[in-house]
């Protein structure tokens, strides 16, 4: 309890305190409303997006189970707001209505642990004070691949934790402390759309993940000079590499450099004089569309490579800061990047170029289907339906 309270107060801000009062104001009205409103589901993900498992699940329910009472919450200034609005009831993220429906809801469903009216206040209520209903469904943002302690049962108390890969499912049950009936191998909603895709054979996607010691505001990095970080130096060197430019021209390829959303605030610092490389702004692209169109991916640790592998497409792993990443962000999980049939691993730029050229010469061949089926035994278009049935208890 003391550890959890200390954790909350380390991150609490003035707006979090204001949310406590919002919750208190709306609570009695929501409790009365619950008497009349039954089987209502609330879905969300990151407040600024409708692109992940939350969105695709909400869309499936609205189109296939229209009688289900369900709403989606999102920031009305989000570039995705107009995409989700025509589907059904939409609630403004983080405002008093969000608190009202959060309390009313029989099921709170999210692809993000923090997908709530206020993450700090809800953590205080649900985890620290244990004032929680058994109604929280975690759709996940990506395949869990690391030893992410912040997702342990003792730190979340999810009532349904959705897994999509067989080794992931086994690892969650073994390592994360969830009761057997709270982790389910159902597949990701967004994977339903990763079949029969049209690929642009000339598009290479480079998608490095974030670094929590760089991507979040804190006392530790308030004086951060981003251009002096290893992350910037290595990735900017990569997109500026003459060898890369030569390969793109020789094989008539395009490359999209698409850093994680939490690193997009640094996008202005990346530069390249190659007209075959685009430095992508997340607001302009639907990430799933980009994943489906791309023919080859280069990443570091991003679990989004599983989406790529699910489509049997080749991946290259470039991990120049592995030791620091393991120490400061995520501990090693069940997956061995260095020795996997899903891609090639390296920690230096020249080797990335060698692997890339070899892949281009080989025609960026597909991964063997039997390998993918071993990871994803539920390789079909029925994930959202399975999740729906699991939530309903069917």
């Amino acid at each position: 309890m003391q550890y959890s309270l200390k954790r909350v107060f380390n991150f609490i801000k003035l707006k979090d305190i204001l949310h406590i009062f919002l919750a208190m104001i709306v609570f009695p009205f929501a409790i009365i409303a619950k008497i009349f409103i039954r089987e209502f589901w609330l879905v969300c993900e990151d407040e600024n997006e409708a692109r992940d498992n939350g969105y695709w699940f909400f869309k499936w329910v609205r189109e296939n189970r229209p009688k289900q009472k369900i709403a989606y919450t999102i920031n009305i200034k989000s570039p995705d707001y107009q995409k989700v609005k025509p589907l059904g009831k939409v609630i403004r993220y983080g405002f008093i209505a969000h608190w009202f429906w959060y309390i009313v809801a029989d099921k709170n469903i999210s692809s993000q642990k923090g997908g709530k009216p206020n993450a700090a206040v809800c953590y205080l209520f649900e985890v620290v004070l244990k004032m929680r209903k058994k109604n929280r469904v975690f759709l996940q943002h990506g395949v869990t691949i690391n030893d992410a302690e912040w997702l342990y049962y003792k730190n979340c108390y999810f009532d349904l934790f959705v897994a999509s890969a067989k080794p992931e499912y086994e690892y969650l049950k073994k390592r994360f402390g969830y009761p057997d009936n709270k982790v389910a191998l159902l597949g990701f909603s967004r994977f339903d759309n990763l079949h029969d895709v049209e690929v642009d054979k000339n598009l290479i996607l480079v998608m490095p993940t974030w670094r929590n010691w760089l991507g979040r505001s804190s006392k530790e990095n308030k004086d951060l000079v981003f251009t002096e970080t290893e992350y910037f130096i290595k990735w900017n060197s990569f997109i500026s590499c003459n060898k890369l430019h030569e390969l793109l021209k020789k094989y008539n390829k395009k490359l999209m450099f698409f850093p994680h959303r939490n690193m997009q605030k640094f996008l202005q610092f990346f530069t390249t004089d190659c007209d075959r490389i685009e430095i992508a702004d997340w607001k302009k692209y639907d990430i799933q569309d980009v994943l489906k169109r791309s023919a080859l991916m280069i990443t570091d640790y991003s679990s989004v490579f599983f989406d790529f592998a699910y489509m049997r497409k080749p991946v290259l792993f470039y991990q120049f800061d592995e030791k620091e990443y393991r120490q400061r962000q995520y501990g090693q999980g069940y997956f061995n990047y260095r020795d996997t049939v899903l891609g090639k691993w390296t920690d230096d730029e020249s080797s990335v170029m060698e692997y890339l050229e070899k892949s281009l010469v080989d025609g960026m061949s597909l991964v063997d289907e039997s390998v993918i089926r071993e990871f994803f035994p539920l390789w079909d278009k029925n994930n959202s339906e399975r999740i729906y049935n699991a939530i309903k208890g069917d």
Side-chain angles (χ1 to χ4, degrees):
M1 172 74 78
Q2 290 179 344
Y3 168 75
S4 298
L5 282 172
K6 181 180 179 181
R7 185 176 181 180
V8 171
F9 290 122
N10 280 341
F11 293 97
I12 201 162
K13 300 176 182 177
L14 177 60
K15 68 175 184 179
D16 302 323
I17 297 174
L18 294 175
H19 270 277
I20 293 177
F21 290 103
L22 280 179
M24 291 173 62
I25 291 169
V26 79
F27 183 79
F29 300 98
I31 292 299
I32 294 172
K34 282 182 66 67
I35 299 173
F36 306 97
I37 304 173
R38 301 299 181 102
E39 291 298 316
F40 176 81
W41 297 359
L42 186 62
V43 184
C44 70
E45 42 200 47
D46 179 86
E47 69 171 294
N48 293 306
E49 289 191 4
R51 309 181 182 190
D52 208 333
N53 291 313
Y55 166 75
W56 288 107
F57 178 71
F58 177 70
K59 185 174 187 292
W60 184 91
V61 172
R62 291 297 303 135
E63 293 175 349
N64 296 275
R65 301 292 187 273
K67 293 183 179 180
Q68 174 64 52
K69 287 176 284 188
I70 191 170
Y72 192 92
T73 180
I74 188 171
N75 187 333
I76 61 173
K77 295 181 180 179
S78 165
D80 294 337
Y81 176 73
Q82 293 301 328
K83 179 175 73 172
V84 72
K85 185 179 178 181
L87 293 174
K89 185 177 178 64
V90 178
I91 296 166
R92 190 174 184 181
Y93 195 105
F95 282 73
I96 194 165
H98 192 177
W99 273 111
F100 177 83
W101 290 108
Y102 182 78
I103 297 169
V104 168
D106 287 294
K107 300 294 180 182
N108 276 290
I109 305 164
S110 179
S111 62
Q112 299 282 339
K113 180 184 177 182
K116 307 167 186 178
N118 179 277
V121 175
C122 288
Y123 179 83
L124 176 64
F125 289 160
E126 297 168 351
V127 178
V128 180
L129 302 178
K130 298 183 179 180
M131 298 167 56
R132 60 184 186 275
K133 301 176 294 180
K134 295 183 177 181
N135 72 342
R136 299 174 58 211
V137 177
F138 186 43
L139 301 178
Q140 288 210 76
H141 167 59
V143 176
T144 297
I145 191 171
N146 301 301
D147 186 11
E149 186 175 353
W150 59 283
L151 288 178
Y152 284 9
Y153 184 65
K154 66 181 181 180
N155 295 322
C156 301
Y157 294 110
F158 293 129
D159 296 291
L160 177 61
F161 194 129
V162 176
S164 64
K166 183 179 178 181
E168 171 200 32
Y169 170 69
E170 294 170 348
Y171 184 64
L172 289 173
K173 292 203 301 179
K174 177 181 178 181
R175 180 72 176 173
F176 281 47
Y178 283 83
D180 289 342
N181 63 341
K182 294 187 182 297
V183 178
L185 181 60
L186 303 170
F188 284 174
S189 287
R190 70 173 187 256
F191 283 6
D192 288 344
N193 306 288
L194 299 184
H195 298 262
D196 307 318
V197 299
E198 293 186 11
V199 179
D200 181 348
K201 297 283 189 180
N202 295 321
L203 181 59
I204 298 169
L205 177 62
V206 179
M207 187 167 280
T209 195
W210 67 307
R211 303 297 188 272
N212 62 10
W213 63 94
L214 303 179
R216 285 179 172 166
S217 298
S218 69
K219 294 178 181 178
E220 181 182 355
N221 64 11
K222 66 178 181 178
D223 298 320
L224 174 73
V225 179
F226 182 70
T227 53
E228 295 178 1
T229 65
E230 184 180 23
Y231 181 94
F232 170 78
I233 292 170
K234 293 290 188 180
W235 282 115
N236 201 62
S237 173
F238 176 88
I239 60 175
S240 303
C241 179
N242 289 331
K243 178 64 175 178
L244 175 63
H245 300 173
E246 292 171 5
L247 291 175
L248 295 176
K249 183 177 181 180
K250 180 179 179 180
Y251 293 96
N252 191 29
K253 305 298 180 184
K254 301 170 292 182
L255 185 145
M256 181 179 288
F257 181 66
F258 201 142
H260 189 280
R261 186 186 64 248
N262 289 348
M263 305 303 288
Q264 287 272 321
K265 63 183 178 181
F266 301 119
L267 207 64
Q268 60 184 310
F269 297 110
F270 293 98
T271 58
T272 179
D273 57 3
C274 179
D275 60 5
R276 292 178 176 270
I277 297 177
E278 177 181 2
I279 300 174
D281 183 338
W282 74 272
K283 295 179 182 178
K284 297 179 180 179
Y285 293 96
D286 184 300
I287 182 59
Q288 189 174 68
D289 178 62
V290 173
L291 289 168
K292 288 161 71 173
R293 288 194 295 114
S294 303
L296 180 143
M297 170 183 279
I298 299 173
T299 186
D300 43 18
Y301 314 94
S302 178
S303 65
V304 77
F305 86 84
F306 274 121
D307 297 53
F308 221 70
Y310 186 91
M311 295 181 282
R312 300 179 56 210
K313 296 190 286 189
V315 181
L316 303 179
F317 301 109
Y318 177 31
Q319 299 179 346
F320 52 80
D321 61 348
E322 183 182 19
K323 183 177 180 180
E324 183 177 26
Y325 183 82
R326 291 302 175 202
Q327 290 176 342
R328 303 185 69 175
Q329 189 148 325
Y330 294 131
Q332 180 68 48
Y334 60 88
F335 187 83
N336 186 349
Y337 289 93
R338 294 170 181 256
D339 183 25
T340 175
V341 293
L342 298 182
K344 295 291 186 180
W345 179 93
T346 184
D347 60 359
D348 72 273
E349 186 177 285
S350 60
S351 295
V352 177
M353 299 306 160
E354 290 178 13
Y355 287 139
L356 176 58
E357 184 166 23
K358 185 177 186 305
S359 186
L360 294 174
V361 170
D362 293 342
M364 297 182 287
S365 55
L366 296 177
V367 179
D368 188 89
E369 184 174 340
S370 62
V371 172
I372 302 306
R373 295 299 183 93
E374 185 176 344
F375 271 86
F376 300 103
L378 301 176
W379 200 81
D380 57 32
K381 300 179 182 180
N382 303 318
N383 298 322
S384 289
E385 183 175 9
R386 276 189 292 268
I387 294 169
Y388 177 85
N389 291 335
I391 295 173
K392 291 284 287 187
D394 295 344

